[in-house]
Amino acid sequence: MAKNKGHIKVAADNIFPILKKFLYSENEIFLREIICNAVDACNKIRTLKQLGKITNIKEKLEIEVKIYKEDKIIKIIDNGIGMTKKEVEKYINQIAFSSAGKFLEKYKAQNTMIGNFGLGFYSSFLISDKVEIITKSYKKKTNAVHWICDGSTKFSIQRAKTKKRGTTILLHVNEKLKEFLEGYRILGVLEKYCRFLPIPIKFQKKIINIINPLWKLHPMKIKEQEYKKFYYELFNDRIDEPLLWIHLNIDHPFKLTGILYVPKLINTITLKKQQIHLYQKQVFVTDNLHGIVPYFLKFLKGIIDSPDITLNVSRSQYKNDITLKKISNYITLKIADKLTKIFLKNRKYFEKIWKSIKLLIEYGMISEPNFYEKSKKFALFYNTDGKYYLFSEFFNLIKKKQLSKENKIICFYASNLDEQSFYIDSVLAKGYKILLLDSPFTVHLIQKIELENNKIKFIRVDSQNIDKIFSETKTVENVYDMKELKELKKELENHLDNTKFTIQIEQLKDKNLPFLINIPEIGRRISEINLINNFEKTRKNEQHYNLIVNTNNKIIKKILKEKNKKKYKELLIDSLELILLFHKILPIKKKQEFLKRILNNIFLSYKTKTSN
């Protein structure tokens, strides 16, 4: 039996160190590459059969992975098209045929994108001391071939005895990488990279892949329960049902299929690792989709499959080109169209799920101009009573009643129902409407709306004295002596020297509170933006406040009339610190002193009553 020896033709002394150092970042890639070659071989024989060029194929196409632990061998078998001796020499020995020559010239200097996978077979040497190929072509009157290589550029090739069509790869696993001789390790790699390949893959007597994944089917043929089942299987998430899903399917100007799921989202800007997976021809590539999927869609889960995304030779990276931008825009508009459709079809359901998806939508509105325009048809806002509006609906509701003296439509909003309850009640009592905007993206969103429409002004309910906003209101002149008011102000300044306050003395219409604390709108917005952008770790103690002394309140009136300096100060400080405590801005030390003082006063008051 003739046996040939030779050298693999490459433009370097040894390609394998380069493969290991520059090309493949993970050893486990070897199995993906070999199985993908096997899939290609099976697809080719299937195509020939469909074209009528082969008629004697009856067996089912299949790929099998076997482990021989004692012999330290992994075997990958397919019954695809096979290779002749000339084809082995052409595709295996002459690596330069698949642009490897250019790769070796340029890859050391830069990450050159090649765009084909001719080097894939050689990833087998990432874990192997020796690799064998036994292959038999579908062509008649051809002999089987046995190729052997020990990881150097030397190889041997001879005739093999097998009569079965197809290819068998034998990997003699390196002692240091014997983890790949464990069944669980191989199964994990197969499930990661080969879970949806279109040819059945058998391992441990079971088929481990889904050859017709859901995203390859026509949406009209898929039931709701099937979408949910696929979601559970894909992400092992049986706690929450996906709220909705978008089936992607486009042939022009690029090909792309996939399914994106919208899970329930909590009100936080902390993002989990991206859970959208990129496939190419049903082969897993990566879950790092920067440039393919808009950043705001990191909240989503799902799969995207496109043959038109240019990958590098190791399939681990993709080229950032014009196609990616087109795909990103398509996905953005497809999401927007789906949300519009659901809103128009069933508004009640959309309102029901709104709080679970609003983080996604608001993030998209502030980051993607195209999405922002589309979102006007479905993005909801809700008021303090829990009633939902499109912004256009809410604007029409308030545009006449809430017109300021500067001719601006004032859109009042609150961010916390409990903490701002007093201010909310005060605004509602005057007949004004209030939105509840409690998202971390609120500040960006309202500024975007104001920028688009300069007739609108958002004001948080605790940001200023609303009596001064509208033209029909007038400030009542104070009736107290200026000297008394200056003394009052000085006493407050002495007590508040460790915090940032601007003190104003006014006679408010509302008589209920001795002090009113406002957080100026502009300053607060800057603080919130800095917090979101992580420019500063904390802003609470640096926040600036307006402290309004209400001379129309009976406590302030009593303080101003008090002649006893001790009682004057006690009443002033107690009432002030009570308000600061309510606003959660009383320093911890003063909070403890205040608590002791109030409890002591209660005790003394009780003691006086019981003694009488």
Side-chain angles (χ1 to χ4, degrees):
M1 187 178 291
K3 182 176 182 179
N4 295 341
K5 295 184 178 180
H7 288 266
I8 297 169
K9 296 179 182 178
V10 295
D13 290 335
N14 196 336
I15 191 174
F16 303 112
I18 297 173
L19 286 172
K20 292 179 181 180
K21 185 174 182 181
F22 295 103
L23 186 55
Y24 295 108
S25 58
E26 298 180 16
N27 290 330
E28 65 183 26
I29 295 298
F30 81 92
L31 192 56
R32 179 191 71 184
E33 295 302 303
I34 295 173
I35 287 182
C36 284
N37 287 343
V39 169
D40 289 343
C42 292
N43 281 334
K44 286 175 182 176
I45 201 76
R46 176 189 284 165
T47 300
L48 291 172
K49 183 180 179 181
Q50 290 171 346
L51 294 172
K53 294 185 177 182
I54 303 175
T55 57
N56 61 342
I57 295 178
K58 296 181 180 179
E59 73 273 25
K60 290 178 65 176
L61 295 172
E62 188 176 84
I63 300 163
E64 185 170 10
V65 181
K66 293 183 177 181
I67 296 174
Y68 299 89
K69 195 170 182 179
E70 291 184 5
D71 297 324
K72 298 179 184 177
I73 289 175
I74 299 173
K75 189 182 287 187
I76 300 99
I77 308 154
D78 72 68
N79 56 354
I81 199 167
M83 290 183 285
T84 63
K85 182 181 177 184
K86 285 185 177 180
E87 288 168 337
V88 170
E89 290 173 342
K90 182 177 181 181
Y91 295 110
I92 303 299
N93 296 344
Q94 297 181 23
I95 298 177
F97 180 82
S98 58
S99 300
K102 292 181 181 179
F103 168 78
L104 294 172
E105 289 171 14
K106 298 180 180 180
Y107 206 89
K108 285 186 179 180
Q110 59 185 4
N111 186 10
T112 305
M113 295 293 178
I114 294 177
N116 63 58
F117 314 130
L119 292 173
F121 164 74
Y122 283 94
S123 65
S124 57
F125 287 97
L126 291 171
I127 68 147
S128 307
D129 293 326
K130 183 172 72 173
V131 177
E132 299 179 58
I133 302 173
I134 301 170
T135 183
K136 173 75 169 65
S137 174
Y138 78 98
K139 296 175 182 177
K140 295 179 180 179
K141 298 180 181 180
T142 57
N143 297 313
V145 180
H146 188 183
W147 179 93
I148 305 172
C149 181
D150 63 0
S152 69
T153 58
K154 296 178 181 179
F155 71 90
S156 68
I157 186 169
Q158 63 188 39
R159 185 184 295 181
K161 294 180 180 180
T162 184
K163 293 183 179 180
K164 287 185 177 181
R165 184 199 72 252
T167 301
T168 299
I169 309 291
L170 291 93
L171 309 179
H172 296 261
V173 178
N174 183 287
E175 176 67 26
K176 293 180 181 178
L177 293 163
K178 60 185 180 181
E179 62 180 275
F180 290 105
L181 294 168
E182 300 293 339
Y184 77 89
R185 187 71 172 92
I186 292 297
L187 182 61
V189 177
L190 289 172
E191 288 182 338
K192 180 178 180 180
Y193 294 105
C194 309
R195 190 175 180 183
F196 301 108
L197 283 173
I199 302 296
I201 301 168
K202 185 186 288 185
F203 180 65
Q204 295 176 335
K205 298 181 180 181
K206 294 180 181 179
I207 302 298
I208 59 91
N209 60 320
I210 301 169
I211 61 174
N212 291 307
L214 209 64
W215 75 83
K216 303 293 289 186
L217 306 179
H218 195 284
M220 296 296 290
K221 297 181 179 180
I222 307 172
K223 296 178 181 178
E224 179 179 316
Q225 207 55 42
E226 290 177 291
Y227 279 113
K228 291 179 180 179
K229 182 182 177 183
F230 185 64
Y231 174 82
Y232 299 144
E233 291 173 350
L234 199 59
F235 298 103
N236 295 317
D237 185 355
R238 293 188 174 272
I239 299 174
D240 291 322
E241 286 189 356
L243 295 172
L244 53 100
W245 47 87
I246 297 92
H247 198 131
L248 307 170
N249 194 337
I250 185 173
D251 289 320
H252 184 78
F254 50 83
K255 290 185 178 180
L256 180 139
T257 56
I259 302 172
L260 297 179
Y261 291 91
V262 180
K264 289 183 178 179
L265 304 171
I266 55 175
N267 199 24
T268 176
I269 58 173
T270 302
L271 301 179
K272 296 180 180 179
K273 182 181 178 182
Q274 189 148 341
Q275 297 186 77
I276 300 176
H277 301 160
L278 174 64
Y279 282 71
Q280 190 175 76
K281 297 178 181 178
Q282 298 174 230
V283 182
F284 174 75
V285 176
T286 181
D287 58 5
N288 180 13
L289 272 64
H290 178 71
I292 300 176
V293 174
Y295 192 74
F296 80 94
L297 294 180
K298 282 193 74 172
F299 293 105
L300 270 57
K301 297 181 179 182
I303 281 174
I304 292 171
D305 190 339
S306 175
D308 291 339
I309 295 172
T310 306
L311 303 179
N312 71 343
V313 71
S314 68
R315 310 191 206 208
S316 60
Q317 296 177 355
Y318 47 85
K319 189 174 181 180
N320 199 347
D321 57 18
I322 190 66
T323 301
L324 294 195
K325 184 62 178 174
K326 290 178 181 177
I327 289 174
S328 179
N329 289 339
Y330 167 75
I331 292 171
T332 299
L333 295 178
K334 191 72 176 178
I335 296 283
D337 290 343
K338 177 72 173 184
L339 292 168
T340 303
K341 185 178 179 181
I342 294 172
F343 176 79
L344 294 174
K345 186 178 180 180
N346 191 342
R347 178 163 177 163
K348 284 187 177 180
Y349 172 74
F350 200 81
E351 290 180 358
K352 183 180 178 182
I353 66 171
W354 174 252
K355 289 183 181 179
S356 296
I357 65 172
K358 74 174 180 131
L359 197 63
L360 162 76
I361 294 171
E362 290 181 356
Y363 197 3
M365 290 171 73
I366 65 175
S367 61
E368 293 288 331
N370 290 339
F371 188 79
Y372 175 74
E373 287 302 316
K374 290 272 189 177
S375 70
K376 293 176 183 179
K377 298 177 182 178
F378 57 79
L380 291 174
F381 296 79
Y382 47 93
N383 67 8
T384 49
D385 294 327
K387 188 173 181 180
Y388 289 85
Y389 304 88
L390 294 172
F391 189 75
S392 58
E393 295 171 342
F394 188 77
F395 178 78
N396 288 331
L397 191 68
I398 66 170
K399 64 182 181 182
K400 292 182 180 179
K401 174 71 174 177
Q402 297 179 200
L403 187 67
S404 74
K405 57 189 177 185
E406 285 87 14
N407 210 32
K408 297 270 190 179
I409 309 299
I410 303 301
C411 187
F412 288 113
Y413 72 99
S415 58
N416 188 299
L417 289 175
D418 294 329
E419 292 181 7
Q420 296 155 12
S421 59
F422 169 79
Y423 300 96
I424 292 170
D425 291 343
S426 178
V427 174
L428 291 176
K430 293 175 171 61
Y432 302 128
K433 305 293 182 183
I434 307 171
L435 290 178
L436 180 59
L437 303 178
D438 55 358
S439 159
F441 304 123
T442 290
V443 62
H444 292 290
L445 184 58
I446 63 178
Q447 290 191 169
K448 192 172 184 70
I449 296 172
E450 287 174 340
L451 189 64
E452 183 186 48
N453 190 337
N454 59 16
K455 290 184 178 180
I456 297 174
K457 185 177 181 181
F458 282 83
I459 294 178
R460 206 170 82 175
V461 291
D462 60 349
S463 66
Q464 67 183 88
N465 176 12
I466 66 168
D467 290 339
K468 290 186 175 182
I469 297 172
F470 301 101
S471 56
E472 69 273 9
T473 62
K474 294 181 180 179
T475 302
V476 181
E477 293 295 327
N478 285 300
V479 294
Y480 294 98
D481 185 271
M482 287 300 296
K483 184 180 178 182
E484 293 176 324
L485 297 179
K486 282 183 179 180
E487 288 179 2
L488 180 67
K489 188 175 181 180
K490 186 178 179 181
E491 194 68 52
L492 291 170
E493 286 173 342
N494 290 337
H495 192 71
L496 295 170
D497 56 357
N498 291 325
T499 55
K500 293 184 177 181
F501 283 87
T502 297
I503 300 172
Q504 299 169 306
I505 299 178
E506 298 180 16
Q507 188 169 346
L508 303 178
K509 282 186 176 182
D510 196 317
K511 300 179 181 181
N512 290 322
L513 291 179
F515 303 100
L516 191 66
I517 294 178
N518 295 141
I519 306 171
E521 184 74 26
I522 295 176
R524 197 202 67 255
R525 287 193 194 184
I526 293 171
S527 297
E528 289 176 359
I529 290 171
N530 288 341
L531 188 62
I532 291 171
N533 294 335
N534 293 319
F535 291 155
E536 299 165 76
K537 291 182 179 179
T538 178
R539 292 288 298 179
K540 193 162 218 180
N541 293 331
E542 298 178 20
Q543 180 66 66
H544 194 87
Y545 302 94
N546 288 335
L547 177 71
I548 301 172
V549 183
N550 184 10
T551 58
N552 204 21
N553 174 264
K554 60 184 178 182
I555 295 175
I556 298 298
K557 288 179 179 180
K558 182 173 177 62
I559 291 170
L560 289 167
K561 290 177 182 179
E562 182 60 60
K563 302 301 179 183
N564 185 307
K565 288 294 179 183
K566 184 181 178 183
K567 288 183 179 180
Y568 177 99
K569 188 172 181 178
E570 284 179 354
L571 187 56
L572 178 66
I573 300 309
D574 283 351
S575 55
L576 171 66
E577 291 191 346
L578 186 62
I579 299 298
L580 296 176
L581 184 68
F582 174 78
H583 285 276
K584 300 180 180 179
I585 54 176
L586 184 65
I588 185 68
K589 187 176 180 181
K590 288 188 176 182
K591 194 183 293 184
Q592 293 168 347
E593 292 172 356
F594 175 75
L595 185 62
K596 289 179 182 177
R597 193 167 67 246
I598 294 299
L599 289 174
N600 187 56
N601 288 342
I602 292 172
F603 174 75
L604 291 175
S605 174
Y606 174 76
K607 189 176 180 181
T608 302
K609 286 181 181 179
T610 53
S611 62
N612 291 336

